[in-house]
């Protein structure tokens, strides 16, 4: 097991390239199950979630080749094997195997998904959708069993705007009989990306990216090539760290339209931001003003950037209120930031950050993926050396992070943990 070490306090400069979107990748890969011939997805990020999904597709009989971020899946020999636990637990997005396997085989048995612990993360809306399409869904000993004689299109109103439920229902409905209408659908760019792949496979989907999606079921889907969209959360992480410690950073391979809420907040703080077709330049700023953040569904400020932004706010003058309306308990990074000298208190769904403070290097632990990103940013801002453990979370979602940050001039490296440190981690 490794830890990350960061010698902070140095300004960063240069160009940093964004990889393909993790939250698209984890849906696009299961979506290949629905085809009857090989599907190629280009530009996947080099992250552990992608490798775990590759293993899961191989477990059910898929042939998968992955080279330089391009994955070709031959789903023709796949069978509906139960996937009770093990690897399924490594990532939350394994729930997409339910929709895809139900759509193709009309049955599936999948262990309850794992992923980051951000407070309660129910999947009732996914199940409501599967049931509306005609599936019988039972929960037996920690696994979800789905069975249907036939899937029939239905009108489904989501009680909660959910990215996962919207995509999962699309996956189950593309090969159902007749028309499915998803109302109050989520509008995140990753949903459009999955709908684009499915359409290239022969699916008939209209309205992805709006809150009403119409799907006309087809009997079969075929192989195709698809290029994944850039990761807007990785892009946002880089923009935030550039605002925190940059003296001119160009974030490359980004869709600026996806970043509007983040750009607006950075500008409100006094950060110079310029955009062109597929790049965003973040200029350095000596003084930053505190701004309040409230996370909302897309196109609002993303919950996944709330934690990294909280790290940046330590540099800003004044008091900022950060409210997460999506996940009530996404504040595990706060205690760690406090160890680094931050003055932050949590009240209900909000964290109140008082700045500016000079963060100090410390030993901290990433409890989830974006908490990890927040601690890396804080480490780059801090005086002295910061040690971050819990790298398995960061590795789930950030591809080549050390190399990318070294490219900007950061002093950051991975080190093997000692036996004593591993022992401490357990206790
Ligand atoms: N919710 C329900 N019932 C459901 C589904 C969701 O009550 O059946 C609630 C959730 O508890 C949450 C809200 O609805 O309060 C939104 O959840 P959503 O379903 O949209 O989240 P998700 O699909 O499970 C994805 C991303 C998350 C990101 C959220 C919100 C993936 C694999 N994960 O999760 O990404 O935070 O959307 O945008 O796409 C991350 O990348 O670090 C991450 C956690």
């Amino acid at each position: 097991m490794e830890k990350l070490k960061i010698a902070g306090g140095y300004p960063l400069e240069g160009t940093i390239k964004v990889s393909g979107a993790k939250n698209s990748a984890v849906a696009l890969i299961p979506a290949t199950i629905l085809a009857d011939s090989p599907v190629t997805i280009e530009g996947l990020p080099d992250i552990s979630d992608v490798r775990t999904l590759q293993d899961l597709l191989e477990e059910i009989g898929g042939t998968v080749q992955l080279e330089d971020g391009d994955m070709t899946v031959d789903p023709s020999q796949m069978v509906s094997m139960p996937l009770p636990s093990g690897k399924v637990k490594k990532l939350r997005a394994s729930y997409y195997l339910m929709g895809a396997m139900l759509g193709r085989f009309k049955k599936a048995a999948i262990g309850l998904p794992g992923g980051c612990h951000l407070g309660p993360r129910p999947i009732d809306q996914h199940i409501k959708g599967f049931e509306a399409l005609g599936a019988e869904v039972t929960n037996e000993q920690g696994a979800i069993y789905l069975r249907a004689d036939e899937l029939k299109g239905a009108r489904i109103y989501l009680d909660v705007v959910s990215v996962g439920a919207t995509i999962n229902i699309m996956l189950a409905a593309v090969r159902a009989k007749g028309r499915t209408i998803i109302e109050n659908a989520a509008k995140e760019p990753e949903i459009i990306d999955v709908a684009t792949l499915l359409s290239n496979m022969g699916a008939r989907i209209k309205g992805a990216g709006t809150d009403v999606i119409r799907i006309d079921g087809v009997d079969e889907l075929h192989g195709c090539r698809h290029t994944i969209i850039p990761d807007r959360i990785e892009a946002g992480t880089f923009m935030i760290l550039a605002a925190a410690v940059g003296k001119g950073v160009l974030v490359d391979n980004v869709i600026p339209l996806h970043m509007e809420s983040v750009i607006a907040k950075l500008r409100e703080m006094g950060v110079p931001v310029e955009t062109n077709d597929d790049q965003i330049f973040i200029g350095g700023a000596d003084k930053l003003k505190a701004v309040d953040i409230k996370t909302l569904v897309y196109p609002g400020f993303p919950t996944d950037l709330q934690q990294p932004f909280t790290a940046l706010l330590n540099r800003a003058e004044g008091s900022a209120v950060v409210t997460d309306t999506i996940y009530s308990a996404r504040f595990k990074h706060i205690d760690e930031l406090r160890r680094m000298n931050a003055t932050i208190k949590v009240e209900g769904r909000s964290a109140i950050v008082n700045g500016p403070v000079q963060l100090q290097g410390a030993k901290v632990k990433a409890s989830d993926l974006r908490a990890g990103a927040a601690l890396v940013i804080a480490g780059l801002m801090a005086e002295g050396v910061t040690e971050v453990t819990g790298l398995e979370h960061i590795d789930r979602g950030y591809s080549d992070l050390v190399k990318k940050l070294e490219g900007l001039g950061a002093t950051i490296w991975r080190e093997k943990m000692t036996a004593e440190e591993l022992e401490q981690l357990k206790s």
Side-chain angles (χ1 to χ4, degrees):
M1 230 185 212
E2 290 178 323
K3 61 188 172 187
L4 198 59
K5 279 189 150 182
I6 306 162
Y10 301 105
L12 304 188
E13 180 172 33
T15 301
I16 189 162
K17 189 161 180 190
V18 175
S19 299
K22 164 192 164 268
N23 287 347
S24 273
V26 295
L28 295 172
I29 297 170
T32 62
I33 294 174
L34 289 156
D36 58 13
S37 52
V39 178
T40 299
I41 306 167
E42 296 174 338
L44 289 170
D46 183 13
I47 53 175
S48 60
D49 274 9
V50 164
R51 292 186 289 273
T52 305
L53 283 167
Q54 170 177 2
D55 292 348
L56 285 163
L57 293 195
E58 286 170 346
E59 261 182 53
I60 61 168
T63 306
V64 187
Q65 284 172 324
L66 178 61
E67 211 179 316
D68 291 337
D70 295 349
M71 180 183 277
T72 298
V73 181
D74 182 349
S76 54
Q77 304 302 315
M78 285 180 179
V79 287
S80 184
M81 293 262 296
L83 292 169
S85 59
K87 295 201 173 75
V88 167
K89 286 226 180 314
K90 285 194 179 172
L91 76 162
R92 174 148 178 93
S94 46
Y95 54 39
Y96 291 132
L97 296 165
M98 295 179 194
M101 289 176 77
L102 182 64
R104 170 149 172 205
F105 303 112
K106 312 289 173 275
K107 62 173 182 176
I110 319 273
L112 278 169
C116 293
H117 298 292
L118 313 174
R121 296 182 78 181
I123 56 165
D124 56 301
Q125 299 302 307
H126 304 230
I127 290 168
K128 172 181 164 174
F130 298 146
E131 286 177 340
L133 295 171
E136 189 197 329
V137 185
T138 51
N139 181 348
E140 293 161 32
Q141 293 168 344
I144 303 274
Y145 289 78
L146 305 112
R147 299 173 196 92
D149 293 331
E150 183 181 53
L151 292 172
K152 273 198 194 147
R155 183 180 282 271
I156 301 156
Y157 178 87
L158 295 181
D159 302 314
V160 181
V161 181
S162 158
V163 178
T166 303
I167 292 179
N168 233 343
I169 295 168
M170 279 198 320
L171 293 173
V174 281
R175 288 179 60 167
K177 292 252 173 308
R179 173 170 284 196
T180 297
I181 301 178
I182 310 173
E183 293 174 320
N184 202 27
K187 297 183 278 198
E188 269 69 0
E190 293 76 19
I191 292 161
I192 304 178
D193 203 22
V194 177
T196 307
L197 170 74
L198 293 169
S199 300
N200 290 342
M201 285 161 62
R204 295 173 60 201
I205 305 174
K206 281 191 191 144
T210 76
D211 57 8
V212 181
I213 302 179
R214 290 182 177 75
I215 301 156
D216 286 309
V218 294
D219 288 338
E220 37 181 56
L221 295 174
H222 50 75
C224 67
R225 286 187 90 83
H226 175 80
T227 304
I228 193 170
I229 57 169
D231 194 314
R232 66 194 166 92
I233 305 303
E234 189 193 20
T237 305
F238 296 158
M239 290 163 65
I240 292 166
L241 80 82
V245 292
K247 57 172 186 181
V249 171
L250 187 67
V251 182
D252 186 30
N253 189 35
V254 46
I255 299 176
L257 183 70
H258 292 170
M259 307 310 306
E260 280 186 341
S261 59
V262 184
I263 293 172
K265 280 292 160 189
L266 289 176
R267 285 193 174 136
E268 209 178 309
M269 290 182 85
V271 179
V273 184
E274 285 163 42
T275 64
N276 64 34
D277 285 352
D278 60 355
Q279 296 175 319
I280 298 181
F281 180 78
I282 307 290
D286 288 340
K287 283 196 171 182
L288 296 179
K289 196 172 116 220
V291 296
D292 293 342
I293 296 287
K294 189 183 236 183
T295 68
L296 293 167
V297 295
Y298 187 82
F301 192 92
T303 168
D304 299 334
L305 291 176
Q306 172 265 110
Q307 293 157 297
F309 214 94
T310 306
L312 167 65
L313 285 169
N314 288 291
R315 248 204 73 188
E317 292 190 14
S319 179
V321 182
V322 178
T323 308
D324 200 319
T325 71
I326 312 286
Y327 294 117
S328 52
R330 207 170 195 175
F331 288 119
K332 292 201 184 116
H333 57 306
I334 301 291
D335 278 343
E336 305 304 295
L337 290 175
R338 281 207 202 103
R339 280 180 211 279
M340 299 178 71
N341 198 36
T343 314
I344 309 179
K345 61 179 176 189
V346 176
E347 280 181 11
R349 282 179 167 245
S350 299
I352 299 144
V353 189
N354 283 303
V357 291
Q358 174 58 59
L359 295 179
Q360 300 295 333
K363 291 187 179 185
V364 288
K365 186 173 169 198
S367 53
D368 59 80
L369 170 59
R370 310 300 171 187
L375 296 175
V376 170
I377 295 173
L380 292 167
M381 295 164 74
E383 234 168 34
V385 174
T386 296
E387 274 188 29
V388 185
T389 53
L391 293 199
E392 66 280 11
H393 296 293
I394 300 179
D395 292 341
R396 279 191 41 230
Y398 289 92
S399 153
D400 288 331
L401 187 64
V402 167
K403 212 158 101 202
K404 288 186 185 187
L405 293 179
E406 276 176 345
L408 294 180
T411 307
I412 178 167
W413 68 100
R414 293 174 81 113
E415 246 177 41
K416 273 217 149 49
M417 289 176 72
T418 61
E420 196 186 331
E421 283 170 337
L422 286 170
E423 213 39 56
Q424 273 171 6
L425 211 62
K426 277 191 218 149
S427 56

